[in-house]
Amino acid sequence: MTESAPTAHYDPSRLNQAQRARSIEAATGRAHDVLVIGAGVTGAGCALDAVTRGLSVVLVETGDIAVGTSSRSGKIFHGGLRYLEQYNFALVAHAIVERDLQVKTLSPHLTRPEPFLYPLSAHWERPYAGAGILLYDIFGLRGRGVPRHKHLTRGGVVRHAPSMDPDVVTGGIQYYDVRMDDARHTLAVARTAAAFGAQVITGAPVVEILRTGDRVVGVVFTDGVGGQRREIRAKVVINAAGAWASDVQQLAGTHTFDVQPSKGVHLLLRRDAIDSDTGILARASDSVIIARRWWNYWLVGTTDTPLDGDRGSPRPEVADVQYLLRELNHFLRRKVQPDDVLGVYAGVRPLLRPVGTDADATSALSRDHSVVPGPDGFITIVGGKYTTYRLMAQDAVDAAVKSGLLGDVPESLTKNTPLLGAAGWAALRNRAGALAGEHGLSRRQVERLLSRYGSQIHDVLAIGAADRTLITARDDWADYLPAELIYAVTAEGALTLTDVMMRRTHLAIELPDGGHDAAPAIAELVRAPFGWDDAEVTRQVAAYRAAVAADREALEMVQAGL
Ligand SMILES: Cc1cc2nc3c(=O)[nH]c(=O)nc-3n(C[C@H](O)[C@H](O)[C@H](O)COP(=O)(O)OP(=O)(O)OC[C@H]3O[C@@H](n4cnc5c(N)ncnc54)[C@H](O)[C@@H]3O)c2cc1C
């Protein structure tokens, strides 16, 4: 392991194996104010909210940061146009404020406003859809994070999106939402919490909730590496376990809601699969289909079906891949082919269902979030959307404060707390050309690095100081620099090869074989900082390949015409 014990230069935002060991010691050594279960965006957000109010905080996670839904979303901060049709104006209004806050203040380096085209197939649709999109803009007037919408004729649609079929589309309305990289954004939230002093412990499933009488006083987790049972004591435990929130609530001895797991699948397409300078959001047979530009690719989703299998490893099915291609192709004259698809993934929406109720269609269940207090000292935060995670976290910590167990606690500061990498990012972006010259990179490469690391770019580039090959992009690794993979281990808390290739980078969906062939060389590159021996390298490659093969099985069947 390259990290050593804390020194004068100790940087608490650097997450790695040595930090994990230190955090376990610090977490188990004394009682804390707040313990958060689950390092998805909601739990990471709770940790950041609580620690910036001056509370002592521990964040524990079964697997990797963002291993659940928070790395498998549609990757947009959005108000959610379709929720307007459900008359959920409050959700849309709040989400738009949060969207704009991310772009302007919290994570400008990780986000970018993107145009979306709403195609119209009949003339009567224009006033109806136009009113909704106008409202969308009105909700955004305060934040002004994105440009306003505009109406397009059929000719205008085809000029922006030559791929669109003019026989199907009569015109369109273009509006804006914001693209992001969910796994990296959640990582930034967790690292920011760590920078303020939160102890972040991944590979640590909570298996028991400790109680004294009726009151929750802490948790027991098993140390994923050693398998040892460890106790952490806290005045308040916040359950942010997403799709597992009901199971965790039941560990605390209460059962007031279930999570109805709903599966959503996305496809990653080659950039040239669709000829368009704008994303597309269109009506699908049972909901909407969205194709958005996502860095050098198109990301297309999503499905919305009840999930029967394991919530930890939702699998795309043949019918999911076929549905997405069919619904998208309805609007396109040059049809997207199965071979245009590079990767596929599925995620689980944590939709809340109070005990004793039923829902036929998961798309009808509410996307609002709920704070569920109880038992004493235990608060569950569940539901909602990625976009509203900050508000959800604020509400959960407010509820913890209201319990009276934490004493006098200041109000939430997260509205004004930029995430790691945001400070100084705009100035660095203006210096992209100079930075490129200093490091022998292209301007495009520096801009790409800035959109992944913000002002942390210097830490990544420093890895190449002694060996330039480490900052030389590998086109067989989707243009990632080897230094990025090393940084994933030394500063971004990756504990496995799968963490490196699926969440710190997206090699698993960007490479057409899912990274199968690249895995051994990448494992060799990261073995030194991980401290792996030969047997561990072999085990890590096999585990990664198995995970990717399971995700890709349905796609490969469609590509083979089966
Ligand atoms: C297909 C799809 C597309 C979506 N698209 C968007 C979008 O574009 N924009 C948007 O705003 N929202 C979107 N969403 C919703 C959004 O992704 C989720 O609301 C959000 O990611 C949920 O985050 P979370 O932290 O609550 O849950 P999760 O990310 O699932 O985190 C819960 C964590 O708890 C951990 N955990 C569980 N049990 C334990 C335990 N016993 N001990 C320790 N840890 C535990 C899990 O490992 C997991 O990491 C989408 C959702 C889906 C499924």
Side-chain angles (χ1 to χ4, degrees), residues 30-370:
R30 68 181 179 89
H32 291 266
D33 292 320
V34 175
L35 179 135
V36 183
I37 303 173
V41 73
T42 309
C46 290
L48 179 59
D49 190 286
V51 79
T52 50
R53 296 191 199 209
L55 298 168
S56 69
V57 176
V58 182
L59 173 63
V60 280
E61 162 59 48
T62 295
D64 184 23
I65 292 164
V67 71
T69 310
S70 296
S71 59
R72 294 151 178 269
S73 81
K75 308 184 195 305
I76 24 186
F77 282 116
H78 63 156
L81 260 190
R82 73 196 180 95
Y83 308 127
L84 288 178
E85 277 199 320
Q86 298 166 359
Y87 304 112
N88 197 341
F89 300 121
L91 174 66
V92 177
H94 284 140
I96 285 181
V97 170
E98 293 299 314
R99 177 197 72 184
D100 292 350
L101 196 57
Q102 293 292 335
V103 181
K104 298 198 78 171
T105 311
L106 304 187
S107 59
H109 54 311
L110 302 176
T111 53
R112 204 177 85 176
E114 281 287 346
F116 285 82
L117 178 74
Y118 183 85
L120 305 168
S121 300
H123 292 294
W124 62 263
E125 272 190 285
R126 192 180 287 281
Y128 178 69
I133 292 174
L134 176 65
L135 193 60
Y136 209 67
D137 270 1
I138 290 171
F139 287 147
L141 277 180
R142 207 155 44 121
R144 288 189 195 282
V146 305
R148 305 253 182 95
H149 78 278
K150 63 180 182 201
H151 282 258
L152 300 174
T153 60
R154 189 192 318 242
V157 167
V158 174
R159 261 196 308 285
H160 279 285
S163 273
M164 279 279 187
D165 185 346
D167 292 339
V168 176
V169 176
T170 58
I173 308 173
Q174 196 177 48
Y175 70 99
Y176 282 77
D177 268 322
V178 169
R179 92 169 178 206
M180 50 101 165
D181 175 340
D182 49 6
R184 294 201 60 81
H185 180 273
T186 299
L187 173 69
V189 179
R191 287 191 65 193
T192 310
F196 283 106
Q199 305 298 342
V200 177
I201 308 172
T202 55
V206 168
V207 291
E208 196 180 321
I209 306 282
L210 297 170
R211 289 198 293 177
T212 300
D214 286 339
R215 184 159 152 212
V216 168
V217 293
V219 305
V220 175
F221 74 89
T222 53
D223 185 341
V225 179
Q228 201 185 342
R229 284 167 66 87
R230 312 286 303 247
E231 273 186 26
I232 306 176
R233 302 257 157 189
K235 292 176 189 156
V236 176
V237 172
I238 297 180
N239 167 17
W244 296 267
S246 175
D247 305 327
V248 171
Q249 191 200 38
Q250 288 171 59
L251 283 182
T254 307
H255 183 195
T256 58
F257 68 91
D258 286 309
V259 172
Q260 173 118 351
S262 141
K263 186 179 73 171
V265 172
H266 282 86
L267 306 176
L268 194 77
L269 311 184
R270 300 174 201 286
R271 182 62 186 250
D272 59 11
I274 303 174
D275 183 9
S276 173
D277 64 15
T278 175
I280 299 161
L281 176 142
R283 276 184 190 285
S285 47
D286 61 358
S287 182
V288 292
I289 178 115
I290 310 179
R292 72 227 69 170
R293 294 183 303 172
W294 197 70
W295 277 265
N296 214 17
Y297 309 95
W298 287 93
L299 184 61
V300 177
T302 181
T303 59
D304 195 339
T305 51
L307 174 86
D308 291 330
D310 176 7
R311 279 169 284 172
S313 43
R315 297 283 177 237
E317 286 160 51
V318 167
D320 299 322
V321 177
Q322 289 172 334
Y323 166 88
L324 291 171
L325 290 176
R326 188 176 61 243
E327 295 293 331
L328 176 66
N329 281 336
H330 172 71
F331 292 93
L332 304 182
R333 52 178 157 186
R334 187 263 183 209
K335 308 294 181 201
V336 171
Q337 302 300 317
D339 281 347
D340 292 323
V341 184
L342 294 169
V344 59
Y345 61 88
V348 183
R349 295 177 189 83
L351 303 180
L352 183 83
R353 182 158 51 83
V355 167
T357 61
D358 217 344
D360 290 342
T362 52
S363 55
L365 284 172
S366 168
R367 264 63 174 172
D368 290 307
H369 68 267
S370 299

Side-chain angles (χ1 to χ4, degrees), residues 489-527:
V489 184
T490 57
E492 296 186 336
L495 296 180
T496 67
L497 182 63
T498 304
D499 300 346
V500 173
M501 294 184 70
M502 274 192 184
R503 284 173 291 274
R504 303 308 178 278
T505 66
H506 301 289
L507 288 157
I509 51 172
E510 289 172 280
L511 294 177
D513 68 347
H516 179 277
D517 289 355
I522 293 175
E524 281 302 324
L525 176 73
V526 295
R527 71 181 291 168

Side-chain angles (χ1 to χ4, degrees), residues 358-420:
D358 217 344
D360 290 342
T362 52
S363 55
L365 284 172
S366 168
R367 264 63 174 172
D368 290 307
H369 68 267
S370 299
V371 176
V372 186
D376 237 16
F378 190 83
I379 283 154
T380 298
I381 173 77
V382 70
K385 332 190 318 160
Y386 196 108
T387 308
T388 52
Y389 82 90
R390 195 200 62 81
L391 268 186
M392 293 169 66
Q394 181 178 316
D395 287 354
V397 178
D398 279 348
V401 172
K402 214 186 261 172
S403 73
L405 296 166
L406 299 171
D408 262 356
V409 179
E411 290 189 347
S412 174
L413 284 184
T414 53
K415 230 182 192 168
N416 303 310
T417 307
L419 301 186
L420 197 74

